[in-house]
Short mmCIF file of all heavy atoms in Angstrom, two decimals:
data_model
loop_
_atom_site.label_atom_id
_atom_site.label_comp_id
_atom_site.label_asym_id
_atom_site.label_seq_id
_atom_site.Cartn_x
_atom_site.Cartn_y
_atom_site.Cartn_z
N THR A 126 -18.99 10.60 -0.70
CA THR A 126 -18.81 12.05 -0.41
C THR A 126 -19.28 12.95 -1.52
O THR A 126 -19.70 14.14 -1.25
CB THR A 126 -17.40 12.38 -0.02
OG1 THR A 126 -16.46 12.21 -1.18
CG2 THR A 126 -16.88 11.66 1.21
N GLY A 127 -19.15 12.50 -2.73
CA GLY A 127 -19.50 13.30 -3.90
C GLY A 127 -18.65 14.53 -3.85
O GLY A 127 -17.44 14.46 -3.70
N ASP A 128 -19.20 15.72 -4.12
CA ASP A 128 -18.43 16.98 -4.22
C ASP A 128 -18.54 17.70 -2.84
O ASP A 128 -18.43 19.01 -2.80
CB ASP A 128 -18.85 17.83 -5.34
CG ASP A 128 -20.28 18.31 -5.21
OD1 ASP A 128 -21.02 17.83 -4.27
OD2 ASP A 128 -20.74 19.08 -6.03
N HIS A 129 -18.69 16.99 -1.74
CA HIS A 129 -18.74 17.62 -0.36
C HIS A 129 -17.47 18.50 -0.11
O HIS A 129 -16.41 18.00 -0.35
CB HIS A 129 -18.91 16.54 0.65
CG HIS A 129 -19.37 17.08 1.99
ND1 HIS A 129 -18.53 17.77 2.83
CD2 HIS A 129 -20.53 17.04 2.61
CE1 HIS A 129 -19.25 18.18 3.92
NE2 HIS A 129 -20.49 17.73 3.75
N PRO A 130 -17.64 19.78 0.25
CA PRO A 130 -16.53 20.64 0.41
C PRO A 130 -15.51 20.17 1.49
O PRO A 130 -14.39 20.64 1.47
CB PRO A 130 -17.17 21.95 0.81
CG PRO A 130 -18.60 21.66 1.30
CD PRO A 130 -18.93 20.34 0.63
N GLU A 131 -15.96 19.41 2.42
CA GLU A 131 -15.02 18.90 3.49
C GLU A 131 -14.15 17.79 3.03
O GLU A 131 -13.21 17.41 3.71
CB GLU A 131 -15.78 18.55 4.78
CG GLU A 131 -16.34 19.64 5.46
CD GLU A 131 -16.97 19.20 6.76
OE1 GLU A 131 -16.64 18.28 7.39
OE2 GLU A 131 -17.98 19.94 7.12
N ASN A 132 -14.41 17.17 1.79
CA ASN A 132 -13.63 16.14 1.36
C ASN A 132 -13.44 16.16 -0.12
O ASN A 132 -13.96 15.31 -0.78
CB ASN A 132 -14.22 14.70 1.78
CG ASN A 132 -13.22 13.63 1.56
OD1 ASN A 132 -12.01 13.76 1.73
ND2 ASN A 132 -13.77 12.46 1.12
N PRO A 133 -12.75 17.15 -0.66
CA PRO A 133 -12.45 17.24 -2.05
C PRO A 133 -11.36 16.26 -2.48
O PRO A 133 -10.28 16.61 -2.89
CB PRO A 133 -12.03 18.71 -2.27
CG PRO A 133 -11.34 19.00 -0.94
CD PRO A 133 -12.05 18.22 0.14
N THR A 134 -11.70 14.94 -2.42
CA THR A 134 -10.65 13.88 -2.58
C THR A 134 -10.25 13.78 -3.93
O THR A 134 -10.89 14.13 -4.95
CB THR A 134 -11.31 12.53 -2.13
OG1 THR A 134 -10.30 11.55 -2.05
CG2 THR A 134 -12.45 12.09 -3.01
N PHE A 168 -23.47 10.72 6.84
CA PHE A 168 -22.56 11.81 7.20
C PHE A 168 -22.33 12.88 6.18
O PHE A 168 -22.29 14.05 6.56
CB PHE A 168 -21.20 11.20 7.62
CG PHE A 168 -20.22 12.21 8.16
CD1 PHE A 168 -20.31 12.74 9.49
CD2 PHE A 168 -19.32 12.82 7.35
CE1 PHE A 168 -19.48 13.66 10.00
CE2 PHE A 168 -18.43 13.82 7.81
CZ PHE A 168 -18.48 14.22 9.18
N TRP A 169 -22.20 12.47 5.01
CA TRP A 169 -21.93 13.43 3.85
C TRP A 169 -23.14 13.99 3.20
O TRP A 169 -22.94 14.82 2.32
CB TRP A 169 -20.98 12.61 2.81
CG TRP A 169 -19.78 12.18 3.43
CD1 TRP A 169 -19.48 10.85 3.74
CD2 TRP A 169 -18.60 12.92 3.80
NE1 TRP A 169 -18.26 10.74 4.31
CE2 TRP A 169 -17.66 11.96 4.38
CE3 TRP A 169 -18.25 14.20 3.70
CZ2 TRP A 169 -16.45 12.38 4.89
CZ3 TRP A 169 -17.00 14.64 4.28
CH2 TRP A 169 -16.15 13.66 4.85
N THR A 170 -24.25 13.79 3.63
CA THR A 170 -25.40 14.33 3.04
C THR A 170 -25.71 15.66 3.73
O THR A 170 -25.48 15.82 4.83
CB THR A 170 -26.67 13.41 3.19
OG1 THR A 170 -26.86 13.15 4.60
CG2 THR A 170 -26.55 12.14 2.42
N PRO A 171 -26.27 16.63 2.98
CA PRO A 171 -26.55 18.01 3.51
C PRO A 171 -27.56 17.83 4.64
O PRO A 171 -28.53 17.04 4.67
CB PRO A 171 -27.19 18.73 2.40
CG PRO A 171 -26.83 17.97 1.16
CD PRO A 171 -26.65 16.56 1.51
N ARG A 172 -27.29 18.59 5.67
CA ARG A 172 -28.16 18.55 6.93
C ARG A 172 -29.14 19.66 6.93
O ARG A 172 -28.98 20.73 6.46
CB ARG A 172 -27.31 18.63 8.16
CG ARG A 172 -26.41 17.32 8.20
CD ARG A 172 -25.64 17.36 9.50
NE ARG A 172 -24.91 16.11 9.55
CZ ARG A 172 -23.60 16.05 9.50
NH1 ARG A 172 -22.78 17.10 9.34
NH2 ARG A 172 -22.96 14.86 9.54
#
Side-chain angles (χ1 to χ4, degrees):
T126 63
D128 63 354
H129 196 285
E131 288 182 31
N132 192 38
T134 188
F168 183 82
W169 301 104
T170 55
R172 296 182 176 111

